[in-house]
Amino acid sequence: MSKDSSRAPGRPRRLRAALALTAAGLMAAAGAVVLPGNASAAETTLGAAAAQSGRYFGTAVAVNRLNDSAYTNILNREFNQVTAENEMKIDALQPQQGQFNWGNGDRLVQHARSRNMQVRGHTLAWHSQQPDWMRNMSGQQLRNAMLNHVTQVATHYRGQIAWWDVVNEAFEDGGSGARRNSNLERTGSDWIEAAFRAARTADPNAQLCYNDYNIDNWNDAKTQAVYRMVQDFKQRGVPIDCVGLQSHFTGGSNYPSNYRTTLSSFAALGVDVHITELDIRNAPSDAYRNTVNDCLAVPRCKGITVWGIRDSDSWRSNESPLLFDGGGNKKAAYNAVLNALNSAAPGGGDPTTPPPGTTPPPGTTPPPTNPGGCTATISPGQVWGDRYNTSVNVSGANTWSVVVNITPPQRISATWSGNPTWDGSGNVMTMRSNGSGNTFGFTTMMNGNSGARPQIVSCTAG
Ligand code: XIL
């Protein structure tokens, strides 16, 4: 089922480097001054820059704006992926029951495909932007209507949509981790998997995503709840290929320092991750740069879609959250994003040193092996507002010592099933087996840093 998202344009990096070297040689021979560093030409558009690592860079499109040439020029120049901002929602596609209105959706698909842009379908099943006839339905009648909508729409667009947001925003905000109460939820809690199955049958080649907002912070109950649903779907064979993080950040502070942990944790479940509706209040360059670098650091993060082109196009236009101003000029955040994309290693490796607090989540990195002959593997445990549990399993030896690093100001407050000792800083714990088995555990107080997670330094047998 894996799809090649590297079809987008952009000269291979090796070729560009060779061309740049040749040019540099010619300039040197002609006595020109060759500036050190940065010899290879950087890509000059977002889409081409993202394509260097096999990713896309896209935008939400309002189809009626395609008549605005300033808008369309930026769209065609910069982006290689599009999502319909409203035109493929349920109320737009099926305004009356059984009457489908494909005009605007088709127009966008046609615009995109004739320019080699990939299309994200948004969205098949959602509590919001339902037509009146659907909002007034309930029970089995609603469930059938929803499944019919999924089938009709995915069939109409079969073969033309790279990814479908099959279900959008099905979880509650806040600390409950519950499903959102909606007319769809009341049709039976298996409505989500039923929608995914119907979508797979209708368009077997589309990648099927679950999409939501406020699932960016790894410690949030909503993030954990969506994570558990995806884990459950993968275990039971419900067809799901990807998770979309909308990432509507309300400000620099709302970009969570553990965003990379969230992306890599979902990816470790065996799904791709997409940043699907990015916008950030006042468009701070740092938050945009961090977001891009976090995606680039996670091989299964396939691309980024911003939720509109110019600030004046944004659903949050009073917050100026996008990469172009109302006049279509590039903002500082644009340059931050472009530069970050240009510094990505080909193939999607991590181009940066992770900032503090963004260590990969427990259990998602290959456990370190070492000559001492044992291997220690971290599993994440329960998370509370101020602390979290971790357990570590040791294989390969029955007596062992495992060294664990903690990022201050975090602090281990309790341990079990081992004998701990500490270095002078209190940040390095050596846990020795005490005869109670090969799994030990500990509680870490966050002390204001909710993002960092412990790291195994070594495992030594004996
Ligand atoms: C928004 C559109 O941008 C607005 O034009 C519309 O009035 C409401 O919906 N989450 C989603 C998107 O999944 O579909 C929403 O788009 C923004 C929040």
Side-chain angles (χ1 to χ4, degrees), residues 85-86 89 122 126 129 168-169 246 248 277 307 315:
E85 185 171 359
N86 288 298
K89 292 174 179 173
H122 176 78
W126 190 22
Q129 292 183 267
N168 198 31
E169 302 182 349
Q246 294 183 9
H248 292 293
E277 304 184 13
W307 205 240
W315 71 314

